[in-house]
Amino acid sequence: MMTIKHALYTCLFVSFSTLALEDTYQQFVEKAIAKFQATERSKWAFTYHNNEIEEGEKTEVYAQYVPHNPRGERWQLLKLNGIRPTKKEAKNFASHREHEGYSIKLTELINPKALLLDKETDQTITFSYPVQLADLGKDAIGKLIGTVKINKSTANIEEVNIINTEAFSPIALADISHFKLSMQFQTINNSVLPKNTYMEMNGTFSFFVDIEETSQTTFSNYQFLGTKQL
């Protein structure tokens, strides 16, 4: 009987029935965020492939990130728009990427204090929540909604999506009618790592200039180096 009771309690805790308290949802999501943030991404080498279209101009970047290289050499540009880059292009890319860093802050994308149960399957649970992103300005408050999908058995985040429900103005004279951000994650050796990201944004600037931007990035060929960052 005790074994059956223990199994039942475990099942109820993992499955999160719709009657579960909101603070239980919050703790579960906060645990998933903390697990992702605890991943030592600076010790993982990976391949980076980005396709971007901004105002009709296409840019394709194929690069590699090697964290144990000296600063300024960790980002290696392999191809730019399908061809091998010049030494200057490779150096500029490495310098700019080093300055920009490599960080995904889920604490800014997910609001665990305002969760609503959106969908639940045997394997995953998905929550929706209002989004506040400082980079998109105060006018975007109340006009963005996010969802986060988490694997119930591992408590690992699998996907985060953010879309707008109304047009908003991130800066003066800019009006964004459509915004979408989608991020998918993968688990390797119990470490939660980015798999791909997709962003699209449409609108106008100064009432007559079209804003059309899309960006898709794939992270692959992860290798754990286990060496300290220099």
Side-chain angles (χ1 to χ4, degrees), residues 71-228:
R71 289 187 179 276
E73 299 179 14
R74 294 172 182 172
W75 284 96
Q76 301 174 2
L77 181 59
L78 304 178
K79 288 184 180 181
L80 179 61
N81 297 324
I83 61 176
R84 190 171 182 175
T86 64
K87 290 184 178 180
K88 183 177 181 180
E89 288 172 334
K91 183 177 180 179
N92 288 340
F93 175 82
S95 177
H96 290 158
R97 290 298 304 184
E98 187 73 46
H99 178 70
E100 293 172 0
Y102 165 56
S103 176
I104 297 175
K105 296 182 179 179
L106 291 186
T107 51
E108 297 179 2
L109 300 178
I110 303 173
N111 182 2
K113 296 182 179 180
L115 300 168
L116 291 175
L117 181 62
D118 185 66
K119 183 179 180 181
E120 184 173 5
T121 69
D122 292 340
Q123 292 79 33
T124 64
I125 186 167
T126 303
F127 300 100
S128 62
Y129 54 90
V131 176
Q132 293 186 20
L133 290 176
D135 289 346
L136 296 181
K138 293 182 179 180
D139 189 55
I141 296 177
K143 301 176 181 179
L144 298 169
I145 187 169
T147 60
V148 54
K149 180 192 291 186
I150 301 176
N151 185 293
K152 292 192 297 187
S153 62
T154 63
N156 291 344
I157 292 176
E158 293 188 353
E159 189 171 341
V160 174
N161 293 285
I162 297 175
I163 61 172
N164 69 309
T165 56
E166 297 180 47
F168 62 93
S169 179
I171 58 174
L173 302 180
D175 185 66
I176 303 302
S177 58
H178 172 70
F179 177 84
K180 178 180 180 180
L181 175 64
S182 179
M183 306 179 69
Q184 294 182 330
F185 301 86
Q186 58 190 316
T187 300
I188 303 176
N189 297 335
N190 206 36
S191 293
V192 185
L193 298 158
K195 183 177 182 180
N196 57 62
T197 65
Y198 178 79
M199 188 276 291
E200 60 184 26
M201 184 167 58
N202 301 90
T204 58
F205 183 73
S206 296
F207 305 104
F208 60 89
V209 178
D210 289 334
I211 298 174
E212 295 184 3
E213 297 184 21
T214 63
S215 177
Q216 183 167 4
T217 303
T218 300
F219 303 85
S220 60
N221 300 323
Y222 278 103
Q223 291 185 338
F224 183 72
L225 302 181
T227 54
K228 293 183 178 181

Side-chain angles (χ1 to χ4, degrees), residues 40-45 66-68 189 191 222-230:
E40 296 181 288
R41 294 188 298 279
S42 63
K43 294 184 179 181
W44 288 87
V66 185
H68 66 190
N189 297 335
S191 293
Y222 278 103
Q223 291 185 338
F224 183 72
L225 302 181
T227 54
K228 293 183 178 181
Q229 192 172 7
L230 299 177

